[in-house]
Amino acid sequence: MDVARCAQTCGVDEDLLRQTARVIGTASSVATYEDLGVQQGPNSTLVSYLNKLTWLLTGNFAKPGAMQPHSWIAPLARYSTSPHRTPVTGARMPGGLVPCNVITEEILTDHPDRFRAMIIESSNPAHSLADSTAFAQALAALDLVVVIDIALTETGRQADYVLPAASQFEKWEATFFTFEFPHNTFHLRAPVLDPLPGTLPEPEIYARLIRELNAVPRSRLTMLRTAARLVRTPYKLAFAALAAVDKSTLAMAPYLLYETLGRTLPYGARSAAVLWALAQRIAKEYPAAMRRAEHSDADALFAAMLSGRSGITFTQDEYDDAWNYVPHPDHRIPLPIPELLGLLADLDTAPAVHTSDDFPIVLAAGQRRAFTANTIFRDTTWRKRDQQGALRVSPHDAEQLGLSDGALAQITTTRGTAQAVVEIDDRLQPGHAALPNGFGLDLPSECGGTERVGVALNTLTDLSRRDPIAGTPWHKHVPARIQPLPA
């Protein structure tokens, strides 16, 4: 490695870079955290790989203060060394997921296997995915678009049907981001308000659709409802017997549990019935860790989930357990990934600069600030400052481009233009600018229409600018031109 050249490229003093490497290499323990800054820029998959090599090659795995996997209530994704690929573009599907930047290309084509319909739940891709103009065209080309959400979003306005869901305060809800170790926690949140008229929790919306489709014979529901009125052991045996004779039972498990076991649960927690199946999985996959967390069996764990209003510890891992969670043969981690090592070797000849004379500024399209949030906050009055979503630029660029603090500027990319108020910020390096996330929503106005505050970032982004491996968008690296506007 040419360390001096690396230091020059990243703008960090070479001595500081070498000192940092020595600290990481000789520390008794090292833990790292990776987030959107590097994940939404050039070489994001390669950066993620090198980040992991940093702590794997220094022995910082499965020990206190280091890195380790852990047990899950439900894995957020299923990973395989032989990933599926999308039907039209052949893009990799990491974790079984379609990369957001290829969805438009999977629709706007005459390919026989193109996507024909979408059910979009609790997501706002018409606003939040790269190149929103192209995505709007894709939505219009679909045969059917159904949106399930708590608000009439930008995506909902383009849908054929909108099914209004109850808000987070009005239904049983949980997240599955269980990133703690060794005490792995889970929190089932009870509703604190009655739902607004005309809204339903998502499990009831899906249950009604399945009922209309007659997707499950009534005889199966009758059998499971009878078993559910008894103690849990007969229900478990009945469910296992049904799964043995009909392989579709597991695919329909959330609905079956909701319609049968859910009706017997206390506190009106019908939507939480699916947790019973997850508790069975935990007892099967992590029995020792579950018992260390003081749950004698799956039923005891399920009962604790229902009653633990401030959350529970569902498993307690030990450091040696981390090796058991490595799915490769002999629980060994295969460090060399030839494709990524090839990208590393090609860095010397690959373009390091993606700007041009026409678009000389690197725009971070989605900076997190004190008063920004994801588009779930659809009310501008909560912001105490930066209410317009200022364009932040460095003092150097402000001087070079003739930009004044508080004045308007126009931002132009290959995909669109926008206007924003300038804020000069000495924390930005020359050649870099930033716009905040969470702005540019079409919110109801007093006159009955809609009004937009701030920049809708994805009118500026390009879906073709993405990582070659995972398809991750380059939201943090958008070549742009910035010009002052007349007062």
Side-chain angles (χ1 to χ4, degrees), residues 188-305:
L188 175 65
R189 299 188 292 274
V192 295
L193 299 171
D194 293 329
L196 291 176
T199 67
L200 296 169
E202 289 87 347
E204 178 62 22
I205 291 174
Y206 284 115
R208 293 188 182 192
L209 293 173
I210 293 172
R211 289 175 207 146
E212 290 297 321
L213 292 169
N214 291 318
V216 175
R218 290 183 178 273
S219 59
R220 296 177 191 175
L221 293 174
T222 300
M223 182 186 75
L224 289 175
R225 283 172 182 159
T226 301
R229 286 193 289 268
L230 305 173
V231 293
R232 293 283 159 75
T233 298
Y235 184 80
K236 180 179 179 181
L237 294 174
F239 202 96
L242 188 60
V245 298
D246 185 351
K247 301 303 181 184
S248 70
T249 299
L250 295 181
M252 298 298 293
Y255 170 73
L256 293 171
L257 291 164
Y258 179 79
E259 291 283 48
T260 59
L261 180 64
R263 298 185 177 201
T264 71
L265 297 182
Y267 323 118
R270 185 174 177 179
S271 298
V274 69
L275 296 177
W276 178 83
L278 297 179
Q280 306 299 321
R281 188 190 72 83
I282 290 167
K284 180 180 179 180
E285 295 192 14
Y286 319 120
M290 181 187 72
R291 288 191 293 271
R292 284 195 292 267
E294 300 182 354
H295 307 292
S296 58
D297 55 26
D299 285 338
L301 174 58
F302 180 54
M305 290 177 176

Side-chain angles (χ1 to χ4, degrees), residues 16-30 58 60:
L16 179 59
L17 202 61
R18 290 181 177 276
Q19 179 184 351
T20 303
R22 293 189 189 100
V23 168
I24 293 173
T26 60
S28 59
S29 65
V30 172
T58 53
N60 284 288

Side-chain angles (χ1 to χ4, degrees), residues 68-92:
Q68 55 276 313
H70 51 78
S71 50
W72 292 86
I73 286 280
L76 296 180
R78 296 286 186 181
Y79 293 95
S80 169
T81 55
S82 301
H84 295 294
R85 290 185 177 268
T86 59
V88 175
T89 65
R92 290 180 178 89

